[in-house]
Amino acid sequence: LEKGVDSHLLCARRQSSLPNTHLISEGLTFQKDRCFQALTQRMCSRQKDPTSFGCSANYFGNALVQRLHDLQPDIVHLHWVGASTAATCALKHITYPIVWTLHDMWPFCGAEHYDVTDERRYIHGYTPENRPEGAAGLDINRWVWGRKMHHWQGLCLHFVGVSNWISQCCRESAIYKNLSRESSVTTIHNGLDRSIFRPC
């Protein structure tokens, strides 16, 4: 905004009064979305996976697509969309170019935000045979990964990795290979003040 760019921020929860910051849903719709989010978290708790550090099923939709159509942006820049911020099926209804910054592995994994296993299911596919040792209950990761493969097939998504590592993980993933050929992965490192943050 200071540079004269007409930009807007859509968020699930607003904790500031900055201009052009909007809630995705408000009022009763916001309360309904919170109930759906709680239900989704209960569903995720049915999965016993010792390698998952939290999960986001993102099954239920909200007003995100409608809010974007109201704003009519030139470009949509997604960041962290876990905890039902954007339903898995919503992306195919966004008619604007999408850039997605990878703050974790969720965009190309199942429901988990990081895959720390040797199986690397995000590359080889989520099968019963490669489920991590010690996992039990519903395989929510497999179910969510299947929904992403279905709903995002052929989509054009432009990913921005904040490290070379996460960019490479994205390129190797089955979900990325299932997107359109125009999709891309670019690395733009997080900006840090190197006079403060440095090896020691």
Side-chain angles (χ1 to χ4, degrees), residues 35-57:
C35 290
F36 282 149
Q37 180 186 350
L39 183 61
T40 303
Q41 287 307 113
R42 288 289 300 272
M43 183 175 65
C44 284
S45 70
R46 305 294 295 169
Q47 172 178 258
K48 306 301 180 194
D49 190 332
T51 63
S52 285
F53 302 101
C55 73
S56 294

Side-chain angles (χ1 to χ4, degrees), residues 8-30:
H8 297 261
L9 177 68
L10 291 175
C11 52
R13 295 188 190 93
R14 181 172 52 205
Q15 296 179 335
S16 88
S17 57
L18 290 171
N20 292 20
T21 302
H22 318 279
L23 283 169
I24 294 172
S25 57
E26 300 181 82
L28 289 175
T29 307
F30 177 76

